[in-house]
Amino acid sequence: MKINIIFFILLNVIFKINCHDDFKYYAARTDTRKCDNYEKPRCGGYYVKELNTGKEEMETYVSEINQQDDIGVVNENKIRNAPPYHIVFRGILNRDYLNDVDTAEAHNIYRLMPMPGKTFNLTKDTNFYTLGNPHNLLVPQLNEDDEKNRFKTLVCQDYPKNIKNIQTNWMEYLINTGNSVFTVNSITITNNITTTSDKDGKKYDDDYEKIINNNWKPKYEYNIDNLFISLTNSNNCPKKIQEIRCVLGLVATYVRSFNHCYIFFECAPRSPEKCQSSIAPICPRGYSLTSIPSYPHGCLVFYCDPSFLFFNY
């Protein structure tokens, strides 16, 4: 009896490991149909579409997106209230034979950081990438051995340009640790020779063929234009800033780390006259203003953060 139980457990573990090889990436949109109770679970779930196949994928209806314990639990409203295809998850689809419907099993969930004035459109040509992902199955990465597909230089220019006061080292942390997936929109060959642009806006060297014939390998620059950040990346930071009481005339100052932790720095002289240039910015739609008193005068430092990090919509 014990042997049978042990065998069953081992078989279950092996099955789960093998299933991990089947993990894929999907984009999701909420089923917005009005559903009566008798229509559920075949109504009111999500429509998902497999990514990076290079062809126009049909949507698959799933009754729910089951979040796995290994990633932590995200409030479902952050998923349900996201615009169409602003949610990407890594996982598999399973069949619920009892209700004759598919369900999704999610092991990583990402949401798009909105770009002001821009609408995200998912097409068959939209390719997603990731860096530093610790999982055994990744979003297809640009091949290091392929000259035309190489992340020699990866930049994220559009977000800081369009969203003032966004924390750039936090974005870099999410990108470099695999806590994000993203799309790229430009390829630039970088060298000392002048460049030209084709009709798609891509830049190429005027003497590209000559350079290739001389075995000179150009450097490519890839710009991230859509960044989907992990909703399940726990930074283990306190929910609120730890209250530090300073003596009269001093104010507690903080720094915000690359993973959004608020760290007490020291008590500093309160100097309002030094803070006249510290003016709160207007964050674009989809972003919320946060601030912390900073060293050395207690002036507020402002950040524009994605609103969905703080609110369940």
Side-chain angles (χ1 to χ4, degrees):
M1 184 67 177
K2 288 184 178 179
I3 294 176
N4 290 337
I5 293 175
I6 293 173
F7 175 77
F8 176 78
I9 293 174
L10 288 175
L11 187 64
N12 188 45
V13 170
I14 293 172
F15 174 76
K16 288 185 177 180
I17 292 174
N18 289 333
C19 280
H20 286 188
D21 294 333
D22 297 327
F23 283 166
K24 297 177 181 179
Y25 284 77
Y26 299 88
R29 69 176 180 89
T30 302
D31 178 11
T32 57
R33 295 175 296 172
K34 293 187 180 297
C35 308
D36 292 326
N37 288 332
Y38 73 88
E39 296 177 291
K40 297 178 180 179
R42 286 190 283 271
C43 180
Y46 301 89
Y47 289 100
V48 302
K49 185 179 289 192
E50 186 179 343
L51 301 176
N52 284 27
T53 64
K55 59 184 180 181
E56 194 63 51
E57 290 290 340
M58 298 293 292
E59 288 185 321
T60 300
Y61 174 80
V62 297
S63 61
E64 57 185 344
I65 297 177
N66 293 315
Q67 302 177 50
Q68 300 306 299
D69 293 339
D70 57 337
I71 62 173
V73 177
V74 175
N75 188 298
E76 190 178 1
N77 287 329
K78 291 182 184 287
I79 303 172
R80 293 201 65 84
N81 294 330
Y85 302 129
H86 279 217
I87 293 293
V88 168
F89 68 90
R90 168 184 171 270
I92 57 175
L93 304 186
N94 297 313
R95 190 66 179 173
D96 178 0
Y97 291 100
L98 180 62
N99 293 301
D100 192 28
V101 68
D102 287 325
T103 63
E105 177 183 309
H107 286 261
N108 298 87
I109 303 176
Y110 310 87
R111 180 163 167 173
L112 176 64
M113 287 175 53
M115 184 72 71
K118 178 183 176 181
T119 301
F120 175 70
N121 296 310
L122 180 66
T123 70
K124 65 181 180 64
D125 298 318
T126 306
N127 287 315
F128 289 77
Y129 304 97
T130 187
L131 292 179
N133 197 313
H135 305 294
N136 62 334
L137 190 65
L138 311 178
V139 176
Q141 293 178 304
L142 293 180
N143 190 341
E144 283 293 331
D145 297 325
D146 187 343
E147 186 173 58
K148 292 184 178 180
N149 291 327
R150 183 179 301 170
F151 276 150
K152 282 299 184 184
T153 305
L154 180 65
V155 295
C156 192
Q157 300 172 337
D158 293 350
Y159 282 94
K161 185 186 303 181
N162 291 279
I163 305 164
K164 302 294 183 183
N165 297 77
I166 195 166
Q167 188 175 349
T168 55
N169 66 341
W170 168 69
M171 294 173 59
E172 292 169 358
Y173 159 74
L174 294 175
I175 293 168
N176 291 325
T177 57
N179 284 297
S180 65
V181 294
F182 50 84
T183 65
V184 295
N185 70 347
S186 65
I187 305 175
T188 303
I189 299 176
T190 306
N191 52 50
N192 295 326
I193 300 177
T194 56
T195 60
T196 56
S197 300
D198 63 11
K199 63 180 181 179
D200 296 323
K202 295 179 180 179
K203 298 180 180 179
Y204 297 95
D205 293 282
D206 294 336
D207 295 334
Y208 180 72
E209 292 298 329
K210 182 169 66 177
I211 292 171
I212 294 300
N213 292 335
N214 290 331
N215 295 321
W216 184 89
K217 294 186 177 181
K219 295 180 180 179
Y220 294 88
E221 187 175 272
Y222 299 83
N223 179 56
I224 295 175
D225 62 339
N226 294 294
L227 181 62
F228 294 70
I229 64 173
S230 174
L231 291 177
T232 52
N233 171 41
S234 174
N235 55 18
N236 296 317
C237 297
K239 297 297 182 182
K240 296 181 180 180
I241 295 180
Q242 181 182 1
E243 184 179 357
I244 303 293
R245 295 185 178 181
C246 299
V247 299
L248 186 64
L250 299 182
V251 60
T253 62
Y254 299 83
V255 293
R256 191 162 86 161
S257 68
F258 61 85
N259 61 342
H260 275 193
C261 287
Y262 293 95
I263 304 170
F264 171 71
F265 190 73
E266 66 176 75
C267 293
R270 189 187 301 273
S271 308
E273 70 281 358
K274 302 282 189 179
C275 303
Q276 296 179 1
S277 61
S278 181
I279 302 174
I282 298 176
C283 296
R285 184 177 181 180
Y287 290 82
S288 297
L289 184 67
T290 58
S291 63
I292 54 172
S294 65
Y295 185 83
H297 305 297
C299 303
L300 292 179
V301 174
F302 298 98
Y303 300 96
C304 288
D305 298 318
S307 298
F308 61 74
L309 294 178
F310 308 105
F311 306 102
N312 295 323
Y313 57 71

